[in-house]
Amino acid sequence: MLNVRRLLLLTEATERGSLTAAAEALGMTTSAASQQISLLEQEAGQPLIERLPRGVRPTPAGAALAERGQAIRRELRAAQADLDSFTALDQGTLRLGSFPTASASLLPLALTRFRRRHAGIRIEVRAGVLAQLREMLHTGEVEQGLLWDYEWNRLDDPALALTHLLDDPTVLVVPADSPLRTRPSVRLGDLADQEWIIRADNHPVADVLRRSCRQAGFEPRIAYSSHDYQEAQAMVAAGLGIALAPRLALTSRRSDVRLLPFASGVQAPTRRILLARAAARPATPPAQAMARVLRTVAQRFTVSDLQRAQLGAVRRG
């Protein structure tokens, strides 16, 4: 197998008619270039250039190789241009994984900003529950994934590199005319006599409700099991019960419900929203750019923003 770098040196020398000029073009000394040409001739098994009093000229074999070298050089330059395009975020594909709450709140804003800046990048989003998203990351089906965890089920996976984007606190959802809405904050222990709307199918938020109520000293009385947060809000608005929900799940809040903060001393569960990638795979330029956008967008979903919205809702009520 011929050495490509030596072949490119031969091509330069043939085109320029000078080994010295070829060496300068490739950032080599003339003696190093001469040595490389000699090694290439050994690989080829025959002379490739004739050394003249002033410059060099190729032998027939050298001219044939130089012509091949021109084609190889064009392909290498095209390959470098392709890599530069990926680095410059002019082309490529980014595969993301997400879960429903993030896909309805954090992700749309991030996608809009990313596409505005990097229109040449194609984005594919795969949705799934936590276990599915982790498997997608491990297998490489997605390059990045939005994940979540609570204090009692922390993600402890050395195969994943995690970036903490934000904390997503649990809030209380009550009807717009509920007497609870006049309180600046509530305690779970004061809600033992309430009926509750819970998420069905062993949803993580159902676990949050039961854990929180048991910690407050009572078992929640379940009035309805919902399959999504809009359904849960509708049942709350109808007066069937109250509910717990993560803040991000309520970015599309109904006008006939109110969100109430818990008292500062209440240990209301807070989940972490995380951006993950496979630790063994370096992040591509598109993934790095998306991570920057997500970190910026996450700052908009802060607790202070929620508190302002809640206070405004209380005043409007």
Side-chain angles (χ1 to χ4, degrees):
M1 179 71 69
L2 297 175
N3 183 284
V4 173
R5 291 179 61 85
R6 294 168 188 155
L7 182 56
L8 295 178
L9 173 61
L10 173 67
T11 302
E12 290 286 342
T14 298
E15 291 176 343
R16 297 173 185 273
S18 167
L19 195 56
T20 299
E24 290 177 356
L26 297 178
M28 305 170 63
T29 65
T30 302
S31 61
S34 179
Q35 182 182 26
Q36 291 300 308
I37 289 295
S38 296
L39 291 172
L40 182 62
E41 290 177 325
Q42 292 178 25
E43 292 173 349
Q46 58 186 299
L48 299 174
I49 63 171
E50 297 178 16
R51 289 167 171 79
L52 306 173
R54 296 178 64 86
V56 297
R57 68 184 176 198
T59 66
L65 278 184
E67 186 175 350
R68 295 287 186 181
Q70 290 173 343
I72 292 171
R73 185 175 59 192
R74 284 193 298 270
E75 289 300 316
L76 289 174
R77 287 174 176 172
Q80 185 61 55
D82 286 344
L83 290 177
D84 291 343
S85 293
F86 283 103
T87 302
L89 300 174
D90 293 330
Q91 63 175 302
T93 299
L94 176 61
R95 299 183 306 278
L96 290 169
S98 183
F99 58 97
T101 300
S103 296
S105 56
L106 184 70
L107 188 57
L109 181 56
L111 291 175
T112 299
R113 291 191 178 188
F114 185 92
R115 292 175 66 85
R116 189 183 302 135
R117 299 172 187 175
H118 311 296
I121 301 297
R122 182 171 180 267
I123 299 178
E124 299 175 359
V125 180
R126 305 276 195 273
V129 297
L130 188 60
Q132 292 171 331
L133 292 171
R134 291 177 66 177
E135 182 65 16
M136 291 179 197
L137 286 163
H138 290 153
T139 61
E141 182 178 347
V142 297
E143 184 176 355
Q144 288 178 313
L146 288 165
L147 309 179
W148 55 265
D149 69 8
Y150 283 98
E151 183 179 3
W152 59 83
N153 69 341
R154 290 295 189 218
L155 283 174
D156 184 16
D157 189 341
L160 297 179
L162 303 176
T163 298
H164 177 217
L165 293 177
L166 74 154
D167 290 325
D168 187 20
T170 298
V171 297
L172 184 66
V173 188
V174 302
D177 59 355
S178 170
L180 294 172
R181 67 187 176 84
T182 60
R183 301 183 186 183
S185 61
V186 294
R187 296 182 180 277
L188 272 171
D190 299 332
L191 305 175
D193 61 343
Q194 296 286 331
E195 299 283 341
W196 292 87
I197 311 299
I198 198 170
R199 286 298 302 270
D201 303 324
N202 297 316
H203 192 277
V205 172
D207 187 32
V208 169
L209 173 64
R210 290 193 171 93
R211 284 176 177 270
S212 300
C213 292
R214 288 166 185 166
Q215 188 174 12
F218 68 95
E219 190 71 25
R221 300 204 308 267
I222 308 303
Y224 188 82
S225 296
S226 68
H227 293 276
D228 60 56
Y229 288 110
Q230 285 300 111
E231 183 185 7
Q233 288 188 66
M235 293 300 102
V236 170
L240 196 61
I242 61 177
L244 292 184
R247 170 172 55 92
L248 286 182
L250 302 169
T251 51
S252 298
R253 180 178 60 83
R254 292 174 58 106
S255 61
D256 49 5
V257 300
R258 296 291 179 263
L259 311 183
L260 302 182
F262 286 102
S264 57
V266 175
Q267 295 298 314
T270 295
R271 66 177 179 177
R272 298 188 306 170
I273 306 300
L274 308 163
L275 179 64
R277 64 173 178 83
R281 303 186 192 104
T284 62
Q288 293 173 16
M290 177 57 79
R292 290 191 294 269
V293 170
L294 282 167
R295 286 194 296 267
T296 300
V297 168
Q299 295 175 6
R300 294 192 54 178
F301 294 84
T302 61
V303 174
S304 58
D305 289 337
L306 175 67
Q307 290 172 338
R308 284 193 292 271
Q310 289 168 337
L311 291 175
V314 170
R315 294 191 189 101
R316 289 193 299 272

